[in-house]
Amino acid sequence: MVIVEVSLLSGFILTPGSRMLLQRKTIIKKTEVKADVVYIYLEKLSDESQTFILQLEQIIEMKNLKPANIKVYDYYQPEERALADYNAVCS
């Protein structure tokens, strides 16, 4: 099992409709939202490219918004991981 852990940008929340869109993808086993992190559980990864779109809603305006990070790792071997940062589209 593979986990995609998406830290949300400061002042943002995941829109309710975004979670429903994610669950429509057959590769996704389940999703969890805890505080400011979204966990996407995948059965496995392949060589095929995958795109996940999360719709976020800004609930608190923040100045100097810093990038948030995304981690992808194997549930059973968390040391096997990849990291990336992302920014708000409007920043």
Side-chain angles (χ1 to χ4, degrees):
M1 183 180 318
V2 177
I3 300 174
V4 179
E5 183 179 311
V6 182
S7 298
L8 299 181
L9 295 160
S10 296
F12 284 78
I13 61 168
L14 184 68
T15 62
S18 186
R19 188 168 180 180
M20 294 301 226
L21 289 173
L22 281 174
Q23 292 175 336
R24 288 186 185 159
K25 283 191 159 268
T26 56
I27 190 173
I28 296 175
K29 193 168 184 172
K30 76 174 188 173
T31 59
E32 289 182 332
V33 180
K34 295 185 179 177
D36 60 349
V37 181
V38 177
Y39 297 93
I40 304 168
Y41 295 84
L42 310 174
E43 189 62 47
K44 61 182 178 177
L45 283 181
S46 68
D47 293 342
E48 188 177 323
S49 177
Q50 294 289 328
T51 300
F52 303 101
I53 297 173
L54 300 175
Q55 295 176 337
L56 305 179
E57 179 181 341
Q58 187 171 18
I59 58 171
I60 301 171
E61 189 158 340
M62 306 291 284
K63 290 185 179 186
N64 301 321
L65 190 62
K66 304 292 185 224
N69 58 35
I70 300 171
K71 297 177 195 172
V72 179
Y73 56 92
D74 185 301
Y75 180 81
Y76 300 103
Q77 296 176 317
E79 65 277 0
E80 298 283 330
R81 65 177 176 249
L83 303 170
D85 290 335
Y86 74 97
N87 290 305
V89 175
C90 56
S91 61

